Amino acid sequence: MKPLAQWPVDSRRAIRGVFTDIDDTLTHDGHIARAALQALGDLKAAGLTVIPITGRPIGWCEPFMAVTNGPAWPVDAMVAENGAVAFVPGPAYAVTSQIDLQRPSDMRGALSKRYQQSAEVRTANRLRMDSIAAQVCAEVPGMELSRDSAGRETDLAFDYAEFAHHSPETVQRVLALLQSHGMQTTVSSIHIHGCFGDFNKWTGACWIVRELLDRDLSTELDQWVFVGDSGNDQAMFQHFTHSAGVANIARFVPQLSHLPTYLTPSARGAGFAEVARAILEARSLA
C-alpha cells in the first residue's frame, strides 16, 4: 500500500464515482463520522456518483436512504448484504448524464428495492439459512446471529466483533461450518457472512452500475475509486484500479490476499474524508 499522497493528480482528477464500505470506513462505533458525512455531501455537490456498499442488511440501510425518516445520506444508492440487494431512489429519481446521478430537489424519499435473485430463490434459500443458523449457534459456544439479522433477506451474519468478542479460531470454525453447506463466505470488520449465490462487493458494484447507469463498470475503472477497511472488501481491492484503505485496515492486513493501492493517514471516517479531499482538490486544479 502506498501513502494516499502518492495518488497521481491526473488519476484523481479523472474520478467520477465513489464506492465506499460503511462500517469502520464511514463509521466509528456504529455512528457515521461528521467528517465522513460532510465528505459524502461534498462529493455529491461536485457531481460525483456516490454509492455505499456494505455487508449490513437491507433493512438497516433504509433509514439512511429515506428522506421521510430525516435527512437522507447524500448518496445515489446503497448496496447491502455484500451485493445481493440494493435501495435506489424510486421513479422520481432522474439520471442527468451518462455517469453522474443527481437527486431532484423535490424527491421525497421514494425508494425502490432491487434484488439479484428472484423471490422464489430467496424464499428457498431462507429456509436453508434458518436451519444452518440454528446449527452454527448450537455447535459453536457463544456464537449468535448479528443483532441486525432481522433486516436481512439474502444472507446470514454472525457477530464476532461488534458486540461479541470471539477468537480467530472461532471465526474459522464458523466459516468452515457455513462452507460445508456450500455457502459463500466473507468476514467484515464485525461480522461473519454466509450466503447462497455468487455475491461479493465487486459483483454487486458491477450489478448496480448496470442497474442505475446501464454501463459496464469493468470498462471504466479509471473513473471510479473504492474505499474500505476489511476482509469483505478484498474483491473490490482486487479489481479496482483506484482503491484506498483507511488506516484501521492495518489490523486485517495479515489476513488479506488483496490490499488497496493506497492507505490514508487517518482511520475510519477521517480517512474517508481524506480520500474525498484528494479527489476534490485535484478537480479544482483542472
Side-chain angles (χ1 to χ4, degrees):
M1 296 180 288
K2 305 173 187 176
L4 184 65
Q6 293 185 17
W7 192 7
V9 172
D10 289 346
S11 296
R12 288 183 275 144
R13 187 181 296 125
I15 298 299
R16 296 294 180 269
V18 178
F19 278 99
T20 178
D21 174 51
I22 295 180
D23 281 298
D24 293 319
T25 299
L26 298 179
T27 67
H28 187 198
D29 291 335
H31 301 283
I32 189 166
R34 181 175 299 181
L37 188 59
Q38 181 64 52
L40 292 173
D42 292 344
L43 290 167
K44 284 301 303 155
L48 280 79
T49 303
V50 181
I51 304 175
I53 186 164
T54 179
R56 287 286 191 176
I58 192 66
W60 182 91
C61 295
E62 185 170 7
F64 308 118
M65 287 290 294
V67 177
T68 52
N69 289 336
W73 285 13
V75 299
D76 297 292
M78 194 171 288
V79 184
E81 301 180 26
N82 287 310
V85 55
F87 272 126
V88 301
Y93 202 66
V95 178
T96 59
S97 74
Q98 285 188 311
I99 184 105
D100 295 326
L101 298 177
Q102 298 296 326
R103 184 189 299 271
S105 60
D106 61 350
M107 200 279 287
R108 298 300 301 168
L111 290 175
S112 172
K113 193 185 290 184
R114 312 274 182 96
Y115 297 93
Q116 290 208 60
Q117 291 175 325
S118 69
E120 292 78 12
V121 169
R122 297 197 308 273
T123 298
N125 286 346
R126 183 76 263 166
L127 293 173
R128 297 168 70 191
M129 290 191 296
D130 287 346
S131 175
I132 294 166
Q135 179 188 356
V136 171
C137 292
E139 295 186 11
V140 181
M143 185 56 61
E144 296 181 350
L145 287 167
S146 63
R147 294 189 188 180
D148 63 13
S149 289
R152 292 187 179 276
E153 298 187 31
T154 65
D155 76 343
L156 293 176
F158 298 89
D159 181 359
Y160 81 93
E162 185 175 24
F163 300 102
H165 300 282
H166 288 289
S167 68
E169 293 75 20
T170 299
V171 171
Q172 290 304 312
R173 184 176 178 187
V174 174
L175 289 172
L177 276 170
L178 299 177
Q179 292 163 7
S180 73
H181 290 279
M183 301 190 84
Q184 180 169 296
T185 58
T186 57
V187 180
S188 74
S189 61
I190 55 176
H191 295 158
I192 306 161
H193 297 271
C195 69
F196 290 109
D198 186 19
F199 299 126
N200 59 53
K201 290 187 177 182
W202 166 247
T203 58
C206 291
W207 165 67
I208 203 64
V209 169
R210 288 194 302 270
E211 287 281 304
L212 289 180
L213 301 170
D214 194 26
R215 295 174 70 96
D216 182 352
L217 176 62
S218 67
T219 67
E220 54 183 47
L221 285 172
D222 59 325
Q223 300 177 59
W224 293 82
V225 64
F226 172 71
V227 189
D229 80 297
S230 65
N232 66 334
D233 296 325
Q234 284 193 90
M236 299 291 264
F237 296 146
Q238 178 183 3
H239 288 95
F240 269 65
T241 303
H242 306 295
S243 62
V246 290
N248 45 292
I249 197 175
R251 69 187 179 109
F252 292 108
V253 165
Q255 295 122 47
L256 300 182
S257 299
H258 302 284
L259 296 172
T261 308
Y262 302 103
L263 181 67
T264 67
S266 301
R268 299 179 173 84
F272 177 82
E274 289 165 349
V275 176
R277 188 159 54 249
I279 296 167
L280 297 175
E281 287 177 352
R283 289 165 67 91
S284 72
L285 298 174

